[in-house]
Amino acid sequence: MAAYTIVDKDSCTACAACGAIAPDIFDFDDDGKAEVIIDQNTGSISVDEDLFEDLKEAQESCPAQSIKIAAAAF
């Protein structure tokens, strides 16, 4: 199953939980907000299947619910 993800930077609180849980998926911009590494937060490239569990855990741990996951590109 393909999974695409983005971070809603408007709601991101820069808590860094996602980067701690899934450092192969998330990093932080100059403002400290999370972003998706693989596609510069555009939601256009699917996350590797081996990282899906980390992605789900990061989404569930996000206090602002800023991580969005979809089966198709955004």
Side-chain angles (χ1 to χ4, degrees):
M1 176 183 108
Y4 297 81
T5 187
I6 60 169
V7 175
D8 177 1
K9 291 190 178 216
D10 291 334
S11 64
C12 178
T13 61
C15 76
C18 60
I21 294 167
D24 292 329
I25 302 172
F26 300 102
D27 200 1
F28 306 95
D29 65 16
D30 293 338
D31 295 324
K33 302 276 182 133
E35 64 183 5
V36 180
I37 296 169
I38 59 173
D39 61 11
Q40 291 74 45
N41 207 55
T42 62
S44 60
I45 299 174
S46 65
V47 174
D48 189 88
E49 285 185 33
D50 293 344
L51 299 174
F52 185 73
E53 291 302 317
D54 290 345
L55 174 59
K56 287 296 293 176
E57 183 178 347
Q59 181 190 42
E60 291 166 1
S61 298
C62 179
Q65 299 179 339
S66 299
I67 299 172
K68 310 301 180 194
I69 301 173
F74 283 86

